[in-house]
Amino acid sequence: MKENLIWSLSADNIESAKVPLHISNRRGLSVCVAMAIAGGSMLIASDATAQTASVKKSAKKTGNKAVADTKVNDLQAQVERLSRELEASKRREQDLLKRGVAVAPATGITDPAAQTSQEPDNAVAAAEPEPEPEEKADEPQNLSEVVVTSRRKEEKLQEVPIPVAVINRETLERDNVVSVQDFSRRAPNLGVTSANARQTSIALRGLGKNSGNESMEPSVGVMVDNVWRAWTGAAWANFADLDQVEVLRGPQGTLQGKNSNLGLLNITTKAPSFKNSYYVDGFAGNRDALQGKFGATGTILPGLLAYRASGFIDKRDGFVKNLDVHRSEGDLGETNALGGRLQFLFTPSEVLSAKVIVDKTASTQTMSVQPLTADPTRFDTGATRNTTFSTRLARDWFNTLTTNGQAITVIGDPRAMANNERRQSRGDGSGVSAEINWDVLGHRFTSVSSYRDALFEPNHDGDGSTADIERISGWTVKNEQWSQELRLASKDPGPIDYQFGVFAMRAIANTFNQRLFGVDAGAFYASDSQYSLLNASPASRQLLAASMRDTMLTQNVVPATDSYAGYGQINWHATDDATLTLGLRDTFERRENTGYSRNLGGVDLDALGASVGANAAQIAAAKAIRSNRLGPEWDAARQGFDQNSQNWLINPSYKVNKDLMVYGSVAGGQKSGAAQFNFNTGATENVKPEDVMDYEFGVKSTWLDRKLVFNVNLYQTDIQSFQSQLVKADPLRSGQFLSQLGNIGGIQLRGIELETNWDITQGLNVFLNGSYNKAIYTDFANAPCPPEANSSGFCDQTGKTIPNAPAFTANYGVDYRAPLTFGYGNDYGLQWHAYLIDSFKSAANYNASLSRYGKQDAYHVTDGGIGVGTKNGKYNLDLVGRNIFDTIYFTNASNFSSTSAASASYGDARYYGVHFRAKF
């Protein structure tokens, strides 16, 4: 009888017994089937235990232990397989619950009492909702229970054989984490620089930055709600309504795209629900900080159409003083942003759903706030720097700007600058996407269509002083992208599951450089000899002022990419415990670019010189100042190339037991080259493709009844021809430097990553995420020299640590909750809670040329909070602090030259206040 019961509930017969779970008079049969599965599973489990004991007893008598082990394993496998079938049935019914259909609490199957057989087909609208489950406070989720979509399907984090760090909803809400800068303080081996949208760069394991050149795509990808962000700057703004952030380390090129060769940020927002709910979240604190978030979701048409609306506002004064006559307008580096998103979920049937998302963000604030850090008087060789940023500003032309003790510039103070104007730049982004999921014939068909645009419009005081040198400086970027993805994934359990898909995208980045010069520009950019000649008389001083006044350098480049890819990934479950994952992606791209450089404005210097009585030498000197600064004009016809590249993955994993999994992977891939121009001459200087080979080995484990999670990952990544911005001497302007896209011969990353989370006791949780990373140049003999070397040649950086790669990083913290002794009972009373989180980075160099002026000592950034809330999680009131100890640190450092001092982008200063959250 027991053998017959096992046969009747096997996978094949369960499948034949299933009926479509439509809202109809067949719901009773669904209940019976599910109850039979549940009862059978429990009976088999009990029977397995009894038979196990019997088999072992028999084996002891006969001595046939091998036969006993085989039977025991067979019985356990039957139980596990039937348990998975029950879980799958529950998940299907949970989907119905989200659509507003009542379900039986014990089984998760549609409740026949909620609808009789005489009810019409549109009974979904009339279905009575199940009583709301009891609300619980948002608590740190045990990593063993976290579900991720790192591989385009829902899986438990501990069962995914790749290194993934998760910032879950509870942490995002509690810590008010809203931006990529915030993510870097919650995930190991993640680095972010974000002086502004165009200068935003994301690095994993010290590598992947992409700042200031739209011809090159990043090596660390960003995916938001299944939509790829082609331009890294599109990730600069705050994210509204975050649900979870997954940081995938190592190549993700087969499923996520070739531009994820070093990793991916997989960001998901909260989805619409048929259950009505609302929340508000507010923060007020020092620096006149005012942050607010709201969200609302619920039913529009019961069982058919749901919505979700959310928005945010983020205002905060800056932390860098502006030491000039305009300082009353406010400090520099403030935050002033807002945005929102609207979603609709359409569910015409249980097997078909569609989600549409519309979002927009906008900000107007001072950006590129980079305090000046150093302007040395000598090179490292001991030679004197004759003409520097400081000596130029010390010329008597600028004496009137230093009257009354006012500083013309500030060097060496990380919290102060001197700008003659406080200008605000603009950063906007918007998009629309549609995702359709259709479950048919044991598969899920997914279509994701999207359009996105982003705008960065700079308005910087580009000279770092109170003089009228550069009135406008920076590159305006208008980025647009269109993408379409079609994906087919298997759903039924079996020895093989798989995903296949095709992807197409067009991306255009229209970039426009404007540099408008003021009345003091000529006196500043003149060489010492030119200044002496033109400062000699009132007439020649007019020429000096007119040499650059109201002239403008304009440059335009428009890189465009058409990308088409086909990909697939297969999981072969050789046994219940051993799985082999294989992946392949083939990408064809057409990359193009066009551009020009123009010099506009300015008076006729020959005519002016003649009218004021200047001599030929003086007129020639004024014209030389202008031509040297603006450079030659050029036109570049559209040029580009076609390229095909592949990414592949071999990823075996083995579950030693339910609490221990080991995995390894070997992955390779290529990122296409870049169509590029020399910005001095307009000559074509295309960049070679980038090749990556990666090796990973990891262990994921849980201990102490799954209260302790302990994951370790070792890796080695070898990159050939890494695409990067190279800083080198400007061949047309002595003593100055320029950034140009190029290739680095070889880079190697080696290290170990650790992630732990321990629920010590009820209400007490601690975590530690850490990494050791050795990132070096393996081939960079032709590296640009740091400016203090005073060399126009190359310096060999082979064997040196790459910039932006601290050897040690760590994120660790504690969260504690305890009930208060007063309230309204055990279920709806109050509890107090506190948390403390520290982010540590060891010493590193953050300058692209490894200048000694780019060295940042080791530092800690500590956040924390303490507050009170209801046990059901509906209300929370906290006193919180960010960067509690006001640590001063920078994340990027630029070079000095004969016309600029070294500068750096600093992390945000301390701010604190009251944080209130309410859910309804």
Side-chain angles (χ1 to χ4, degrees):
M1 177 177 177
K2 292 175 181 175
E3 289 76 4
N4 290 339
L5 176 59
I6 294 174
W7 178 88
S8 67
L9 290 175
S10 68
D12 293 339
N13 290 278
I14 289 173
E15 192 64 36
S16 64
K18 293 177 185 174
V19 294
L21 296 176
H22 293 295
I23 312 303
S24 65
N25 57 6
R26 289 176 287 178
R27 299 165 85 192
L29 181 57
S30 299
V31 175
C32 295
V33 172
M35 292 178 65
I37 294 173
S41 298
M42 290 185 288
L43 180 60
I44 292 170
S46 174
D47 181 63
T49 303
Q51 289 197 41
T52 299
S54 176
V55 169
K56 288 183 177 179
K57 184 176 180 180
S58 175
K60 186 175 182 180
K61 291 181 179 180
T62 62
N64 194 346
K65 185 177 184 300
V67 174
D69 289 342
T70 300
K71 291 185 177 181
V72 169
N73 291 337
D74 288 345
L75 289 169
Q76 291 176 339
Q78 287 276 24
V79 172
E80 291 178 0
R81 184 168 60 252
L82 291 171
S83 297
R84 288 197 297 269
E85 289 293 321
L86 179 59
E87 283 296 318
S89 177
K90 287 183 177 180
R91 285 196 296 269
R92 285 192 290 270
E93 294 306 328
Q94 288 171 355
D95 289 340
L96 286 179
L97 177 60
K98 292 179 180 179
R99 294 175 171 84
V101 181
V103 295
T107 63
I109 306 301
T110 307
D111 186 357
Q115 178 183 345
T116 66
S117 60
Q118 286 77 29
E119 287 181 312
D121 290 340
N122 65 349
V124 174
E128 292 294 330
E130 184 188 53
E132 294 184 6
E134 179 185 343
E135 295 278 359
K136 294 183 178 180
D138 292 330
E139 298 183 4
Q141 191 174 3
N142 190 294
L143 286 183
S144 64
E145 301 301 323
V146 170
V147 175
V148 296
T149 57
S150 305
R151 301 195 295 178
R152 301 292 187 90
K153 59 181 180 179
E154 291 189 352
E155 301 174 283
K156 285 191 174 182
L157 174 64
Q158 289 300 95
E159 297 177 359
V160 179
I162 57 177
V164 183
V166 174
I167 311 173
N168 58 31
R169 179 189 294 189
E170 293 76 19
T171 299
L172 294 167
E173 291 180 353
R174 183 198 66 185
D175 299 358
N176 200 24
V177 172
V178 295
S179 66
V180 289
Q181 303 96 301
D182 296 335
F183 301 164
S184 66
R185 285 155 57 177
R186 296 293 180 269
N189 246 345
L190 173 64
V192 174
T193 296
S194 55
N196 56 51
R198 189 169 188 257
Q199 295 296 330
T200 294
S201 57
I202 301 172
L204 281 168
R205 299 169 176 171
L207 204 58
K209 289 180 175 290
N210 173 29
S211 295
N213 195 310
E214 285 66 37
S215 299
M216 176 182 70
E217 294 173 339
S219 295
V220 175
V222 177
M223 186 84 68
V224 183
D225 290 330
N226 281 329
V227 174
W228 172 263
R229 297 283 178 96
W231 184 48
T232 306
W236 176 78
N238 288 8
F239 292 96
D241 227 14
L242 285 174
D243 185 62
Q244 186 162 284
V245 177
E246 301 165 18
V247 182
L248 287 64
R249 302 184 297 274
Q252 310 298 324
T254 55
L255 282 182
Q256 310 291 1
K258 65 178 182 58
N259 294 333
S260 301
N261 274 343
L262 298 177
L264 177 83
L265 297 187
N266 184 31
I267 300 168
T268 55
T269 64
K270 297 173 185 176
S273 171
F274 284 90
K275 176 184 175 182
N276 293 331
S277 65
Y278 315 90
Y279 78 85
V280 292
D281 186 312
F283 173 89
N286 72 320
R287 291 168 50 190
D288 288 336
L290 179 62
Q291 299 171 329
K293 294 184 287 186
F294 76 89
T297 188
T299 298
I300 298 176
L301 297 174
L304 184 64
L305 184 63
Y307 80 95
R308 186 175 193 94
S310 57
F312 74 88
I313 183 171
D314 189 356
K315 293 180 177 292
R316 185 168 64 253
D317 285 349
F319 59 96
V320 177
K321 295 293 183 183
N322 188 15
L323 303 180
D324 81 326
V325 295
H326 295 278
R327 63 177 300 182
S328 60
E329 295 180 5
D331 296 329
L332 304 174
E334 84 284 2
T335 300
N336 182 20
L338 57 88
R341 53 196 295 119
L342 181 63
Q343 304 182 62
F344 295 99
L345 176 64
F346 180 56
T347 56
S349 75
E350 67 185 54
V351 297
L352 179 64
S353 67
K355 182 169 66 172
V356 176
I357 304 176
V358 180
D359 68 273
K360 183 172 180 60
T361 60
S363 64
T364 53
Q365 55 199 74
T366 57
M367 303 176 190
S368 292
V369 178
Q370 297 176 293
L372 307 182
T373 57
D375 190 24
T377 59
R378 294 182 180 274
F379 295 107
D380 284 353
T381 59
T384 300
R385 295 182 63 215
N386 295 320
T387 307
T388 69
F389 174 75
S390 299
T391 62
R392 291 175 188 269
L393 291 178
R395 292 168 175 170
D396 58 5
W397 181 278
F398 302 98
N399 285 346
T400 57
L401 298 178
T402 59
T403 57
N404 301 321
Q406 180 178 319
I408 190 171
T409 190
V410 177
I411 299 177
D413 187 341
R415 298 287 171 84
M417 297 183 70
N419 290 347
N420 57 308
E421 291 188 73
R422 181 181 180 272
R423 297 177 180 150
Q424 291 189 327
S425 300
R426 177 183 173 192
D428 295 347
S430 62
V432 57
S433 65
E435 178 177 336
I436 300 172
N437 288 286
W438 182 27
D439 295 335
V440 59
L441 299 177
H443 290 75
R444 168 161 288 186
F445 171 79
T446 300
S447 169
V448 182
S449 311
S450 78
Y451 166 77
R452 295 205 62 82
D453 65 7
L455 172 68
F456 172 60
E457 192 173 68
N459 189 7
H460 309 315
D461 186 332
D463 52 65
S465 76
T466 59
D468 182 20
I469 299 173
E470 290 192 15
R471 297 172 180 170
I472 297 176
S473 176
W475 287 81
T476 296
V477 181
K478 171 65 175 176
N479 180 271
E480 293 183 279
Q481 68 171 73
W482 299 260
S483 64
Q484 175 64 55
E485 183 172 15
L486 302 174
R487 184 168 69 247
L488 185 69
S490 62
K491 286 179 62 68
D492 292 339
I496 293 178
D497 62 77
Y498 47 84
Q499 299 182 62
F500 297 100
V502 293
F503 176 79
M505 182 181 71
R506 177 167 177 78
I508 301 176
N510 194 328
T511 61
F512 187 67
N513 182 24
Q514 289 181 301
R515 304 190 75 168
L516 176 62
F517 298 96
V519 68
D520 298 324
F524 179 80
Y525 288 116
S527 66
D528 289 341
S529 61
Q530 290 168 341
Y531 180 78
S532 297
L533 180 63
L534 292 174
N535 194 44
S537 67
S540 59
R541 284 174 66 88
Q542 290 188 55
L543 270 178
L544 184 59
S547 63
M548 294 298 298
R549 184 180 61 223
D550 296 329
T551 61
M552 177 180 283
L553 168 66
T554 65
Q555 294 176 316
N556 178 234
V557 291
V558 188
T561 303
D562 294 308
S563 181
Y564 308 93
Y567 63 88
Q569 189 157 299
I570 297 175
N571 297 309
W572 173 39
H573 307 288
T575 69
D576 288 343
D577 300 318
T579 299
L580 176 64
T581 300
L582 303 174
L584 180 65
R585 187 184 192 98
D586 186 85
T587 302
F588 170 82
E589 287 194 325
R590 172 161 293 171
R591 306 183 70 88
E592 297 178 319
N593 206 342
T594 188
Y596 66 80
S597 182
R598 294 283 185 275
N599 301 329
L600 306 175
V603 301
D604 185 329
L605 295 177
D606 288 311
L608 176 62
S611 67
V612 299
N615 60 43
Q618 291 171 333
I619 294 174
K623 293 171 70 174
I625 294 171
R626 181 180 294 184
S627 63
N628 184 56
R629 188 60 203 162
L630 297 180
E633 295 186 328
W634 52 265
D635 285 280
R638 181 163 294 278
Q639 61 93 11
F641 52 86
D642 295 343
Q643 193 164 40
N644 192 258
S645 59
Q646 291 78 38
N647 292 72
W648 54 270
L649 171 71
I650 302 174
N651 180 199
S653 62
Y654 182 73
K655 295 180 180 177
V656 179
N657 54 50
K658 68 176 183 178
D659 294 317
L660 178 63
M661 179 181 73
V662 296
Y663 64 87
S665 70
V666 181
Q670 186 178 75
K671 186 175 77 173
S672 297
Q676 172 77 13
F677 299 111
N678 182 305
F679 285 99
N680 277 323
T681 64
T684 297
E685 290 187 354
N686 291 342
V687 179
K688 295 188 297 184
E690 175 182 303
D691 295 290
V692 175
M693 180 66 72
D694 178 80
Y695 309 89
E696 310 269 340
F697 176 77
V699 177
K700 292 192 172 184
S701 63
T702 57
W703 305 82
L704 306 178
D705 196 24
R706 297 201 167 186
K707 292 182 179 180
L708 172 63
V709 173
F710 190 92
N711 298 338
V712 179
N713 184 72
L714 296 97
Y715 61 87
Q716 176 174 312
T717 307
D718 295 297
I719 306 103
Q720 302 297 318
S721 300
F722 179 74
Q723 298 171 5
S724 178
Q725 286 287 103
L726 305 180
V727 180
K728 56 185 179 180
D730 188 335
L732 301 182
R733 302 175 180 90
S734 176
Q736 298 184 40
F737 296 84
L738 57 81
S739 294
Q740 190 70 32
L741 188 58
N743 295 97
I744 294 172
I747 292 176
Q748 184 180 81
L749 315 177
R750 277 185 179 178
I752 182 171
E753 297 162 327
L754 171 69
E755 291 172 274
T756 67
N757 190 295
W758 186 15
D759 292 330
I760 298 177
T761 186
Q762 180 69 32
L764 179 59
N765 172 274
V766 297
F767 75 92
L768 168 63
N769 302 324
S771 66
Y772 168 73
N773 181 42
K774 185 178 181 180
I776 62 171
Y777 291 120
T778 56
D779 180 9
F780 203 18
N782 62 338
C785 295
E788 62 267 26
N790 192 27
S791 172
S792 59
F794 294 108
C795 291
D796 189 354
Q797 305 280 23
T798 302
K800 294 185 178 181
T801 300
I802 68 174
N804 312 295
F808 294 94
T809 64
N811 312 93
Y812 49 94
V814 59
D815 185 285
Y816 182 66
R817 299 166 185 268
L820 293 175
T821 56
F822 58 93
Y824 299 97
N826 188 49
D827 294 331
Y828 300 97
L830 300 176
Q831 66 176 5
W832 75 275
H833 47 261
Y835 71 92
L836 194 68
I837 297 174
D838 187 75
S839 176
F840 168 77
K841 285 182 169 60
S842 63
N845 195 312
Y846 289 90
N847 177 264
S849 301
L850 296 181
S851 168
R852 61 188 178 89
Y853 296 100
K855 291 181 179 179
Q856 167 66 56
D857 293 335
Y859 66 91
H860 296 259
V861 178
T862 307
D863 302 337
I866 185 170
V868 64
T870 57
K871 288 183 180 179
N872 60 15
K874 286 189 174 182
Y875 303 99
N876 284 280
L877 182 65
D878 301 272
L879 178 63
V880 300
R882 303 285 289 270
N883 193 2
I884 294 173
F885 301 107
D886 202 20
T887 300
I888 297 176
Y889 64 98
F890 58 75
T891 59
N892 191 56
S894 68
N895 284 325
F896 64 83
S897 72
S898 67
T899 58
S900 64
S903 63
S905 298
Y906 284 85
D908 200 4
R910 172 175 54 206
Y911 69 97
Y912 50 85
V914 177
H915 187 196
F916 172 73
R917 290 175 286 152
K919 300 178 181 180
F920 310 98

